[in-house]
Amino acid sequence: MEPAVSIALLPEVILALAGCALLLVGGERRRTPAAPVAVLALAAVMVAGVAVVVTGRPDASPGPIAGGMLVIDGLATFFRLLVLTVSALILVMAVGPLGRGGGGGAELAAMVLFADLGAFLAASAAHFASLFVGIELVTMAVIVLVACAPGGGRANDRALKIFVPNAALSAVMLYGVSLVYGAVGSLELAAVRLHLEVLAHVNSMVVLGVVLIACGLFFKVAAVPFHLWLPAVVGDAPARVSAFVAVVPTIAGLACLVRLSSGAFSPVTGQWWVVMWIASAAAMIFGSVAALVQDRVKWMLADLWIAHAGYALMGVAAGTDAGTRAVLVQAAVAGLVFPGAFGMVALLESRERSEIRISDLSRFRSGGAPAVVGIVVFAGALAGIPLTAGFVGRWFLWAAALEAGLVWLVVLSLVATVVGFACCARVVVPVIVFDSRPEDASGAAMARDGWTVAAVTLCGLAIVVVGLWPVPLVEWAVGAIGRV
Amino acid sequence: MTPPAGRGAEPVDFSALIWIVVISPLAGAGVNGIVARRSGVAQRTRRFLALVGPGAAAAAGWALALSWWIADPGKTVRVFDLGRWISGVELPTAAGDLMRLEIAMSCRLDGLSAMMVALVVTLGILVHLFAVGFEKQERDEDRSRLFANQNLLLAGSLAVVLAGNLPTLLVGWELTAVASFLLIVSDHRSARGAAAGTRMLIVSRIGAAGLLLAIAIAAFNFGTLELEGLRRALLADLSGDASGAAVAIGLLVVLVGVIGSAQLPFHVWLTESVHTPVSASAMIVSVATVAAGVQVMLRFAFVMEANAAIALAVATVGGATFVFAAMVALVQLDIRKLIGHVAVAQLGLALLGIAAGAKWSAVFLVVLYALCLTSLVLGSGVVVRSCAGARDLRRMGGLSEVAPVSFWSMFAAAVVLAGVPPLGGFVAANGILARIFDAGIVDRGAFGGMCFLLWGFGLLGSALAAVGLARLVFMVFFGRFRGDEEPASCPAETVPAVVFGVAAPALAALFGGAIVGLSGGAGAGTGIEWTLTAMTALVVVAGIGAAARIYVLDSGLVRAEYLARRLPTTRRILLAGLWIDDLYRLTLVRGAIWAAARLDDFDARVVDGFVCGARHTIVGISWLSAIFDRLALDALVRWLGDGFGTAGRTLQRSQVVYVQGFVVVMVIGAAVLLGIAFAANV
Amino acid sequence: MEQAVPILFYCLAVVTIAGGIGVLVSRKPARVALSLLVVLTGVTALLLLRSAVALALGQIIVGAAAVGLCMAVGKRSPTGVSSFVHGFAPVAVVVGLAFGAIVAIGAIFGVQAPGQGDGTALTTVNGDPTGNVVAVVRELFTAFLLPLSVVLLTLFAATIGARRMVLGPAEEPRGEGEVEV
Amino acid sequence: MDTQFGWLLNLVCFLPLVGALLMLVFVGRRDVVAIRRTTVAVAAADLALAIPLWFLYRPDGVEFQFVTRFDWIASLGVQVFLGADGFAVLLILLTALVGLIAAISSFAIVAHRHKEFCAFLLMLQTGAIGVFSSLDLILFFTFFEILLVPAYFLIGIWGGSRRLFAAGKFLLVHLAGSAFFLLGILGLYFFNADGLAAVGLAGLGNEPAFSLPQLYSVAAVIPTRLQLWVFIAFFLGLAVRIPLVPLHTWMPDALVEAPMAATVMLAAVGVNIGVFGVVRVAMPLLPHATAAAVGWVGALALIGIVYGALVAMAQKDMKRLVITMIVSHMGLAVLGLLTFQEPGLSGAMLQLLNHGVSAGALLLLIGMVEQRRETRLIGEFGGLARIMPLLATFFLIAVLSAIGMPAFSGFVSRFLILIGVFGYSKLWALTALGGLVIGAACMIWMYQRVFFGEVTSERNEVLEDLDRRERWLVLPLLVVILWIGLAPQPFLDRLQPTVDRVVERMNVAVGQTPEADIRELTVTTPDGDDPSPGGS
Amino acid sequence: MIGATHFLVLSLILLCLGLMGMMMRRSFIAVLASMQLAVSAAVLNFAAYGFRLSDLQGQTLAVVVLAAGAVQTVLGLGLAVGFVRLKEASEDDAAGRPRS
């Protein structure tokens, strides 16, 4: 048995301590001087990042640590850093709002850290216990985040929309775990894999367990039809919260799916493949089509996010190393694109106006060429135009899926991509003006929030750089899964 | 392919001459079109520049022809490459090997082309001389463009005449077509001219397409594009079992010739082209048709010799056109249109002769035709100007005193062309008719009974043509003037240049024809031939007599009007040109436009509909999903609200989606996934 | 004892299911809570039947807390009235049954669980006679230390979060140039 | 691979982009004069740099010249691999020339946002030149796509009244097509990566996987079934761009709505990309599939020839008429390609150049008319020949070239294509000729209605003829028209290596079945069969 | 002999009841109770299989799961009270409150 405590748990410890500290510091006073909140949270994320890099073992297939609960392999490190990056970006965007004080800022920042902690566990799980607990922690933190986010009574409302379905689906997933446990007699992922490989044929209990677990994870990655909560929550919440709510649980869920797909459940090829195929196809098509007529930008982004999750599932469905690599790349790309896109939306939001419609995007014109270029870059990346990161992500997915023979899935995804193009073209239209005057010429220009602008700029640059020079990212992804 | 023979000891540098012949009108076109149109250029300079091209061409052309006739005793066929155009493209042929397409601008000098070059350059310079003098009176600034286009036409015609291979022929043909088009539309204001020009150019597209197809067949099936090589190949082919390819080439070149010489059913372009300035009209009528039509026919006359079917087709077309055009000429009231129809008729006769094998007579007729028509067209210009622009024959009459030069010239030309024995026209027509009749008697196999019909056509046509020409001269020059304003003597009448244009060709035709006719007419010997000759002479004289009776003796045209009243239908039909033009308009033109409009609709509705339809479908699905959300949501809220006992309370129509609905859908989804997974398991 | 197990099982199963149905159909929150109590009691007994003493203890603690909280809150619940007959009930029943049927088809008829334990190993784990509770606790604090601590952390966070929710969501700051127009 | 002067090609390719970016950064948006000067300077420099390519290119072998290559995404074998053959050199020259002319012509029509307009125009130029000079499939595809972005904005921002609709349609149809193109690339990639080993050839190892020359060398062993799938994918992508009936409907909308400079650029250069893709990618890589698909593609091309001409005849708008005719012209080019023989291929490639210059000139002139009169409706005009004789003359030259009159460029290509097509199929040749006659009739009729007859509208009486700038704008195109028409041999010489390459590949396909086909390979077929090194 | 299968049947019934409750109860308290029901089902399973396998992992995980269930309950109650507070804050029922 491994020692339960390891130096490799340093990032988790840092996050946990920082989270607790934030909760305690910010707990009582309703008007915290909250600039330190953001700084503290950011610092925690940074330090955790350093710790991840220091303690992460880039070499493939290291042994489990923490009593067999975690395995800090390349995959884990990849997802950990990704989650931290996303969190950092969103925290930077949130410096402004948090810095303006108001109650709950500390809780919000703490929940970001807790969600990261959960994602850490989920991404490096070597045991169903840590997987379940980690993914639940992500969800719980997100629920609190949503519930505590500004927005009056609607915040509770939104939280409820995650809470109830999550209760049902996590129970279902847990039931699936219990079935798998019953069928193979172990909860350790490696042992599960060994048992399943030994089994002469996959019995229906295993299938049940696997599919139920998949359903639970689909809820987290918002695959159709488990996606319903996502647009309802993301479309409605403040943009910065939306970004976090959309991106982090999905990345955690994807990490779990990848881990199970290439590890524990790799012997269950047929059923796993079918389920992933359907979820992927449904998510891609639904997401793109639903986004097409969305007039509300955040809802549209939410729908597109569903489509992106669907693309990523294509890599999971492929089930090969190339597929895994593609999922990693796609996750990284989406993790850069969506925070940036939500950040752009955040620049338009104000207390009076939280619902941003496509025509409102014309307000970006007040930001001059950089804003316009930004919108074009993000729209291009969302659409997957070459030379942006969006294309890189999809390229690897297509390649992997084709290699695995999923031709029709690729064709469907191409259709979805084209439909997605249409959405993105719609987004660009009011910004590039085409002479349509903004409805409220007197109305608000975009907010001048330096932190948000900085984060968005960073995202945009990263998108372009990855689009032009994807080699480091790809190399990293290749290294992360150890093979290929 | 340049035959190696004679390269070394060339007495005259033919190729240089050919260069000059072809290039000088082109250069003339360029100079007139670009330089002379500049505003600073003096009128005198412009006139000079107009003459440079045709003059040089005439000099070089005659030098070429003469030196070929004189300096080259062997009379060998010579081919000159004026420059590579395309080379090195390999084309697989029907024989299975590769043919290297080496396409040069190739010129072929032989008896036919030498003579035709001489003819064309002569007409060219004469017309230009006339034009310079004639147009001098008008002081129109835009004449340089006209000259440029005329030069272009000359160049094109020379290219056709000299062409040594099919591509060169095509280039020349097209150049002629474009120049004719430009000449026809040269009065930009005239909608009618524009329509005629458009029609002409479109019709010429058909000819060009035919020629292009012929080139393709020649290259693919016979592996050569040289006229000489092709001739050998075609003859070899046609004399044996005629292959489809050879016949196709024959039919296609014949089609080109028919279009170029404005035969039925393509004659309209020529008869409608007469609304141009006279010099342009003369170029078109006497140069363009000769080159683009007759020359093509003559070049490929061997096809008709070798294949009776093609010959018969051409002969039929020619004969029919002869009669038709001559008949239409009888009722034309516009002097220029009358001349146009006369031209078409004479070309028909020439084609009939070529097809029937009376090549010599036909060539002779064509030379006469070109000269006489030049005279007639240019003379008509003088006449019309004398009448202050009126072109209606009924408003003329008695102009012989006002325009004596024109009168005598046109009179001579008409006499020659109408076939008054023993002049050239008679000799030629007689020769052709006799040849046809001969053919019918001697070798019935070729034409069979059709010969006699064709001969009948020819005879009838001769009579009608004689009437038409006589009508022209009588109505214009004889009797008394019927117009309103007194005719004024046109200053152009006396300008030497004009005299050249109008009188010189007529005289040339008169004397040349007379000489040849008197000397050549003696060849005939048998009784039948004498009978035929007599019959031809008889009908011609009878025709002229009839015309004289109607138009000369009755200057008031009472008789003519009486005839017109008596035969209103006939007159209407003839005036409408057998409605051939209308037929085109109603079928082809309307049909094309109709089809285009329908296809446009189809394109916009159906084809585009599919593209847009796909888009609409996706957007529609998207809307539906959105609407479904909303409807389902509303229904759900209302439904649950009733159960909740809150009926009557206003329920907010917001995006509050009932959370438990999520759970239901998700559980259903899980169940479906489970079911599918099990199904996949089985 | 061995003979008593089936009888006990069936009795407890009936009680548990009845409690579950009670949760499903009870109109008043208090009754819901009571039904839940019945279910949890039944489950606890069933757990004991499977030698899961520690688990049963945990169930009792958590269950009691949960029921208590439910009752405490349920008294104040403004929407405590529920109705069975309207709304989603038919849909939910059909969907739930269908789901159950599919799971049952797969699981009940395809069950091939390994092992044939009798529970003795669970009461004396690894020869340690200290019993199930000690064993589970040791397990919890060795191998499962990380999940446990994380869950407890989550509990902490959730408590703070719940408190924040009870207090009301984050107040919007008052103007102060939040958005530069 | 000849790497000499590779830097020059790079420079030609990327100079407009760099210029555009520099201009975006350094030139003030209100300083219209500076913007224009910069644009013209960049475009002129690009042309000046491109002209030496004409002389430096040695048409003595099928090897690509001016090659530069370096790794881009090494792990995938994607390279920045530029190079050109004669065909590409000619198209690059055309692009540079038309680009300069379009840039200058835009000054008169663009009323707002000059900076962006000029930048987009320059980017479009880089996109097109990039497509023509890419030797790596991914790079090719990247340029292929990137081209759409400036085009979309050019149409969408500066277009006519229905610009948004047109731009959206343009973008989506193109993207849908290129999505399939991408699928084809992926299919080839997997053959290249895995299939080769299965055929018994040495696998690629670390060789670049998308290099076109490398793919050419293995094209013969690509199994026919895979070829067919990939061909269908490529075809869908390219047919949209060509555009072949029935995928052409984006074009009348997009190009009519586009501002004239963009229309000129897209019509003269943009549509060539489709056919270029066929020559560069589809035919040499997939000879068997191309040979198998000749009937279908040829039928579409033939329909396009006749259909485009007839539909054009019904148009009331000059610009739309000319643009609809493109369907016909491009159909002819495709038909020429399908003969797999030298005349047809040379003719088809030359047709692209001819089309570029003649359509470019026509559209430019129409733009000049539109600018004076603010309408393009044929019915509004009449008798312009008297008022604007120079315009009428220039227009006539362009029309005559477009309908294939000898001495003008259009004739050469038509001549060669028809000779080639005739050897291939008599019926095709006849139909194509019929279509050409209809097309000619349509153009001539349009010319007649616009330029001849009485001047019907008083507003037309006062129109001014071309001024000096406009004259010099159009003249270069007319010079090229005449040059190609009179002396096509230099062009044909430069096309010969490309032609040879295609003919060589196609001979393999038409002449014999490839080795791999006999072995019944099922390597990386799209159905995902197990790769099995086929026996026998 | 009572085996894992019997427990499986029972737990399945409990799971279904729990899910049904979550789907159809409009009382938020009932939803929370149903959630407990569903969690109990999994707990039962873990115990039954652990018994059969003589393995402690399942039981231990079940303890953790119980804690997680507690977390959910706490959150759920927090939400519920939040709604109550909202209700008290404004009697306007139309503010988008779900009918829980």
Side-chain angles (χ1 to χ4, degrees), chain A residues 264-286:
Chain A
F265 293 157
S266 56
V268 195
T269 47
Q271 290 78 15
W272 183 257
W273 177 80
V274 165
V275 170
M276 291 300 151
W277 200 104
I278 293 170
S280 167
M284 290 185 303
I285 295 295
F286 173 85

Side-chain angles (χ1 to χ4, degrees), chain A residues 123-377:
Chain A
S124 46
H127 193 285
F128 273 118
S130 50
L131 191 145
F132 177 76
V133 168
I135 204 102
E136 282 309 304
L137 176 52
V138 176
T139 320
M140 291 301 141
V142 161
I143 290 171
V144 177
L145 188 64
V146 169
C148 295
R154 296 163 75 93
N156 252 9
D157 200 352
R158 293 191 287 260
L160 196 73
K161 284 172 192 165
I162 317 182
F163 179 78
V164 177
N166 177 59
L169 265 293
S170 66
V172 165
M173 179 176 162
L174 203 55
Y175 199 80
V177 173
S178 73
L179 287 178
V180 169
Y181 173 62
V184 303
S186 177
L187 286 168
E188 282 169 34
L189 296 183
V192 170
R193 178 181 187 165
L194 281 180
H195 280 100
L196 286 177
E197 276 170 353
V198 170
L199 278 181
H201 65 281
V202 179
N203 69 45
S204 52
M205 231 169 97
V206 175
V207 174
L208 260 181
V210 166
V211 175
L212 291 184
I213 291 172
C215 289
L217 292 174
F218 283 162
F219 176 81
K220 317 292 180 193
V221 302
V224 174
F226 308 100
H227 67 285
L228 289 163
W229 61 276
L230 189 94
V233 173
V234 168
D236 210 21
R240 297 173 179 90
V241 175
S242 294
F244 194 82
V245 172
V247 176
V248 172
T250 301
I251 288 181
L254 274 179
C256 293
L257 280 172
V258 164
R259 203 165 267 291
L260 293 178
S261 167
S262 61
F265 293 157
S266 56
V268 195
T269 47
Q271 290 78 15
W272 183 257
W273 177 80
V274 165
V275 170
M276 291 300 151
W277 200 104
I278 293 170
S280 167
M284 290 185 303
I285 295 295
F286 173 85
S288 311
V289 169
L292 193 57
V293 292
Q294 273 300 352
D295 199 31
R296 295 164 290 188
V297 176
K298 280 185 287 186
W299 286 69
M300 183 186 206
L301 282 173
D303 287 337
L304 283 176
W305 177 257
I306 293 168
H308 274 69
Y311 296 135
L313 286 180
M314 197 157 66
V316 181
T320 54
D321 282 350
T324 309
R325 180 184 64 184
V327 176
L328 262 56
V329 174
Q330 169 75 359
V333 166
L336 287 175
V337 174
F338 277 83
F342 277 111
M344 295 290 280
V345 178
L347 287 175
L348 295 183
E349 275 184 349
S350 65
R351 205 160 29 129
E352 294 79 28
R353 164 178 262 178
S354 64
E355 190 171 275
I356 307 299
R357 295 189 172 265
I358 286 187
S359 53
D360 292 329
L361 293 179
S362 59
R363 283 157 57 198
F364 274 122
R365 276 186 282 156
S366 67
V372 174
V373 169
I375 275 288
V376 171
V377 165

